[in-house]
Amino acid sequence: MTNPTCFLHSPLDMHIHFREGDMLRRVAPLSARTFAGGVIMPNLVPPVDDFGRLERYAAEVRTAVAGHAFEPYMTLFMRPYTEKELASMKDRIIGVKLYPEGVTTHSDTGVGNLRDVEDTLASMEEMGIRLMVHGETSDFVLDRERAFLPVYEDLAARFPRLDIVMEHITTLEAAALLDRHENLYATVTLQHLLITLDDVAGGLLNPHLFCKPIAKRPEDRDALLARALEAHPKLAFGSDSAPHPVDRKECAGCAAGVFTAPVALQMLVGLFEENGALDQLQAFVSDNAQRIYGVAPPEKTVVFEKTGAVIPERYGDVIPMYPGRKLDWTVADVH
Ligand code: DOR
Ligand code: ZN
């Protein structure tokens, strides 16, 4: 008897942190092996926020994924931009990512006051440049996303032709906004479909599951999972895979980020199979994103087989989500 198999065509990861230098060279090929493209986040130090840095970073990313059919969709870090600047970079980016000041890794030069970028948002709306947002305030940690939702609603109403992506949503209420505003879309990570705050801090503290926004309550996780399993047409997979060296995770002052890139697809196949929704996975990991973002990624077919494997303990000095855990599905072929 042969093992069950499953196929995905040109899977996309619409939110990834590749970093730079050695880390980029280590992690980018792990995404590029199975994904056909991905949205590369701009929160470097200094951030990707001018033409020169965008060009240099795009070139560095392309070198790191050379040999793979993988299209990097680059982003700019939000600051006040002139129309001329936006015009020069428009064709090289998939959107501009807004980080409120200080809410997450390398966001200290983020936007302190939204009024500072009003003109930029108006230009983006005119020019058809997408806005991507890390939607958190600095309120109590479990309330940060909910407290930001009025900002999404205000932006969606005031800039009705601006496409706005709520990145890595973690709450039931954020998911509900998808059906209230035509120009609001969202990405969701793997970890937020699987875990709650209990998994991070309910027992022994697990730094490898600590990320921003932090995982929330069971009802939040369940609402997100339901939207993913039905492949809600305004929702796309974005892993937010965010590698940090082990000494920045297993320490006091642990950095935020869960590293899922090399195992995300295999785990998604398992999760959708368990929930009887394998027929929706293609839409969730590729077709929705192709439609929402208007992209046509390289052709790539990933074949999964139910042969079982174990998640590696490490990739160099980076520890993935669930090291050592058994995986039902493995990647048997990519062509
Ligand atoms: O957990 C996170 N890690 N959330 C973010 O928003 C940024 C990311 C990172 O860059 O490490
Ligand atoms: Zn991120």
Side-chain angles (χ1 to χ4, degrees), residues 238-259:
S239 70
D240 199 13
S241 181
H244 293 278
V246 60
D247 62 343
R248 293 287 299 113
K249 291 294 287 177
E250 296 184 354
C251 62
C254 156
V258 180
F259 181 57

Side-chain angles (χ1 to χ4, degrees), residues 44 50 78 93 133 146 148 157 171-172 179 191 193 201 217 220 240 246 253 283 294 301 312-313 315:
L44 309 182
D50 67 26
M78 178 63 92
I93 55 170
V133 185
R146 280 183 195 92
F148 195 87
T171 55
L172 191 159
D179 300 322
Q191 67 266 21
L193 302 179
R217 309 180 65 87
D220 294 307
D240 199 13
V246 60
T301 301
E313 296 287 337
Y315 293 83

Side-chain angles (χ1 to χ4, degrees), residues 15 17 19 41 43 97 99 103-107 134 136 168 191-192 210-214 240-244 249 255-258:
H15 185 135
H17 296 271
R19 318 296 190 205
M41 287 295 139
N43 60 332
K97 173 78 185 282
Y99 289 93
V103 297
T104 190
T105 311
H106 305 152
S107 63
H134 184 117
E136 288 198 285
H168 44 52
Q191 67 266 21
H192 293 118
F210 170 62
C211 66
K212 301 273 179 77
I214 201 151
D240 199 13
S241 181
H244 293 278
K249 291 294 287 177
V258 180

